[in-house]
Amino acid sequence: MRTPIIAGNWKMNNTIKEAIELIDGIKKNELNEEVEAVVCVPFTAIRDVKEAIKGTKIKLGAQNMHWEESGAFTGEVSPLMLNELEVEYCIVGHSERRQYFSETDETVNKKIKSALAHGIKPIVCVGETLTQREANKAEEVVKNQVVKGFEGISVEDINNIVIAYEPIWAIGTGKTASSDDANAMCAFIRETIGELYGNEKDNIRIQYGGSVKPNNIKELMGKSDIDGALVGGASLKADDFVKLINY
Ligand code: PGA
């Protein structure tokens, strides 16, 4: 059985003060113990959020990292720095990073390898644009992202990776993929993992992301190949995020 994983991607939101308020709001509620809950917070808030979630089951994540341990990479944050803050998860290759910060399947691959080498579990994002979907290229695009992203990654590491299928047209737009379409692509991704890693396909967790809200989480999570959600907007409101965890 795959443990469901609901991860909040705060993106470039929340000062330290706001971050603590949000965590305090979440902590006022009972959280479903069977669901793994993660908050992927801005670098500046990691240290304070780490303190704020102590004693809870909420886990700590970052939103990006460089693959090198140190060096002349102005503005970047290394896996060693994340290790020091006991960051357990790191989002890798989010479509916003691919789109605005020129990340490619090659850099995503380096980041996945580095994260794993440093004991950080990558949440690897893949997904197609609306144009690609309309041209019937969605599967081809996503398969390519998975195959290139996972190049050289050994079968022993598969269990430490989470994949997030996020169709770009559904992110922050209020348009969710239908639960059937989302599930079909997650199943297709699982098949692709099967081609690369055999039976590990049944262990890897695959999230859906893109306008996940309290009113659609239950249906999405009821699908056979969707093991969780990567959530932007709705993770910024304590009540909504709690509803997602307690779907
Ligand atoms: P959204 O973002 O939930 O606001 O659509 C999801 C994401 O980008 O991870």
Side-chain angles (χ1 to χ4, degrees):
M1 275 306 288
R2 302 184 291 265
T3 306
I5 175 167
I6 306 286
N9 171 13
W10 290 4
K11 309 194 179 183
M12 197 172 70
N13 294 293
N14 289 332
T15 61
I16 294 173
K17 184 168 171 285
E18 290 162 345
I20 300 306
E21 283 167 7
L22 177 49
I23 297 292
D24 284 345
I26 297 169
K27 284 201 302 194
K28 288 198 182 104
N29 301 271
E30 287 279 328
L31 300 180
N32 184 349
E33 300 261 316
E34 326 256 285
V35 172
E36 198 173 348
V38 185
V39 285
C40 299
V41 311
F43 292 130
T44 47
I46 290 178
R47 195 175 174 140
D48 293 80
V49 168
K50 170 166 122 65
E51 291 304 314
I53 60 178
K54 271 208 178 119
T56 75
K57 292 204 63 176
I58 304 168
K59 296 185 170 171
L60 188 59
Q63 300 171 16
N64 180 35
M65 54 171 265
H66 198 278
W67 57 86
E68 293 287 351
E69 292 189 337
S70 63
F73 301 104
T74 303
E76 291 290 314
V77 166
S78 89
L80 292 184
M81 297 168 185
L82 296 183
N83 281 161
E84 197 177 28
L85 293 166
E86 295 167 33
V87 166
E88 187 170 339
Y89 285 93
C90 185
I91 298 173
V92 171
H94 190 279
S95 61
E96 287 150 16
R97 296 218 51 94
R98 293 180 192 251
Q99 188 179 351
Y100 306 131
F101 303 98
S102 310
E103 294 205 10
T104 62
D105 293 327
E106 288 69 34
T107 60
V108 167
N109 179 252
K110 287 185 185 172
K111 289 182 184 200
I112 298 173
K113 284 181 179 154
S114 174
L116 292 167
H118 291 89
I120 298 166
K121 297 172 189 152
I123 298 176
V124 181
C125 301
V126 296
E128 81 285 358
T129 63
L130 187 56
T131 321
Q132 289 163 337
R133 175 158 283 257
E134 285 173 349
N136 262 327
K137 294 237 159 75
E139 287 193 345
E140 181 187 324
V141 167
V142 169
K143 181 165 190 165
N144 202 35
Q145 288 171 337
V146 172
V147 171
K148 289 198 171 148
F150 279 65
E151 216 170 270
I153 288 167
S154 74
V155 67
E156 291 76 31
D157 277 325
I158 294 306
N159 250 331
N160 291 318
I161 304 177
V162 175
I163 298 178
Y165 166 57
E166 298 203 307
I168 296 169
W169 47 273
I171 295 177
T173 57
K175 284 187 208 157
T176 333
S178 75
S179 55
D180 284 336
D181 283 350
N183 190 52
M185 186 61 92
C186 290
F188 176 75
I189 293 170
R190 198 176 301 286
E191 241 175 70
T192 305
I193 292 296
E195 287 166 20
L196 300 171
Y197 299 102
N199 288 341
E200 283 303 318
K201 75 176 192 327
D202 295 322
N203 297 325
I204 194 162
R205 291 181 295 174
I206 305 178
Q207 299 173 308
Y208 166 77
S211 298
V212 175
K213 307 282 176 212
N215 65 11
N216 56 29
I217 184 77
K218 207 175 172 67
E219 183 173 341
L220 289 162
M221 293 302 290
K223 294 290 169 184
S224 58
D225 284 283
I226 300 179
D227 306 315
L230 182 58
V231 187
S235 74
L236 297 172
K237 294 186 203 117
D239 290 352
D240 282 357
F241 192 56
V242 169
K243 282 183 192 151
L244 297 178
I245 297 163
N246 295 341
Y247 71 90

